[in-house]
Amino acid sequence: MTEAAPVVTLDGPSGSGKGTISRAVAQQAGWHLLDSGALYRLVAYAGADHRLDAADVEGHARLAISMQVTFGVGPDGSEQVLLEGRDVTQAIRTETAGQGASRVAAWPAVRAALLERQRAFARPPGLVADGRDMGTVVFPQARLKVYLTASAEERALRRYKQLKEKGAGVSLAALSREITERDARDSTRAVAPLIPAPGAEVIDSTGLPIEAVVGRVLELGARRSLWPPRT
Ligand code: C5P
């Protein structure tokens, strides 16, 4: 595989902080960002929108190829996800949407259909890719692979706070259960299960502030000459 641009991958379970850390690293490095989880969420969402049968694998795989997605910035400067021109930023962030994503993500045809779409994000000067199989399947040539984790309790609590901030009515106990269920499905599926890529740098972020984790990733990247060392 030829390298269109250097890639840094951040994989890990839900609530490990991948999204936040990836965004901060991409911003500080001036690199592009791929939120691959959003693509799986969008496939499930588009499927429901098109009233596809929940078990229609081929239908969902076709949508994975044909759906029109735009990752952009909204009027208030926050990130915005458009599906066929419609703002679905909040709609795809619910835990229900996460469950839907995890269901379609277990289908090899959907994963295969999203492969090229994901690889197309690798453009100069570089890409930070966030997901479950970024380092194992999508970008095996990545220059730096990070596997981010945290204790189950802390991950549930982080997701709880995140969803609460967005005004969602959630219960910590229910969320904890759902996340455990989703992680179990993501880790045990036959294709592209959630596992650290060979050679991945494992970071346990339990009890660590965001800045410390971002700093660690930036330091690992600087050591590989991906960007200048921080002063
Ligand atoms: O990261 P996020 O919570 O948005 O991902 C939603 C779901 O999409 C995950 O639970 C997982 O099942 C699936 N996913 C995946 N591979 C990726 C990214 C997400 O299977 N690279």
Side-chain angles (χ1 to χ4, degrees), residues 15-226:
S16 58
K18 289 173 288 120
T20 310
I21 307 295
S22 300
R23 205 172 304 119
V25 170
Q27 200 182 13
Q28 294 201 35
W31 284 19
H32 299 283
L33 176 69
L34 165 62
D35 172 2
S36 62
L39 293 174
Y40 287 95
R41 287 169 183 265
L42 284 160
V43 172
Y45 188 88
D49 219 30
H50 283 75
R51 301 190 192 290
L52 290 188
D53 188 295
D56 181 355
V57 177
E58 287 312 317
H60 282 86
R62 274 196 299 275
L63 277 180
I65 290 176
S66 67
M67 65 181 184
Q68 293 222 352
V69 177
T70 316
F71 291 100
V73 179
D76 63 350
S78 64
E79 65 187 33
Q80 193 179 49
V81 186
L82 302 181
L83 175 64
E84 317 293 348
R86 197 151 44 97
D87 187 348
V88 295
T89 318
Q90 302 301 331
I92 62 163
R93 288 297 154 205
T94 64
E95 190 46 35
T96 310
Q99 294 288 342
S102 170
R103 206 171 37 75
V104 301
W107 296 333
V110 167
R111 304 201 73 84
L114 285 179
L115 208 51
E116 286 315 313
R117 200 187 262 266
Q118 294 176 92
R119 287 184 177 153
F121 278 78
R123 281 176 286 122
L127 176 71
V128 178
D130 148 12
R132 303 291 187 292
D133 63 339
M134 297 294 98
T136 49
V137 176
V138 183
F139 300 109
Q141 83 292 4
R143 301 270 288 275
L144 167 63
K145 299 179 184 183
V146 174
Y147 187 84
L148 200 58
T149 185
S151 72
E153 295 74 29
E154 183 150 333
R155 291 190 290 107
L157 198 60
R158 284 180 191 166
R159 287 284 295 151
Y160 176 74
K161 285 185 186 155
Q162 236 173 28
L163 290 170
K164 263 276 206 258
E165 267 167 29
K166 289 180 182 154
V170 283
S171 105
L172 181 58
L175 192 61
S176 217
R177 247 191 337 267
E178 284 168 356
I179 284 183
T180 309
E181 205 180 288
R182 181 142 73 94
D183 287 345
R185 181 163 44 208
D186 291 347
S187 308
T188 56
R189 68 184 173 214
V191 249
L194 171 64
I195 41 161
E201 301 277 352
V202 179
I203 303 178
D204 184 343
S205 70
T206 313
L208 288 181
I210 292 167
E211 306 75 56
V213 184
V214 172
R216 176 87 184 113
V217 176
L218 287 172
E219 182 194 315
L220 288 166
R223 268 201 234 154
R224 286 162 175 78
S225 306
L226 293 176

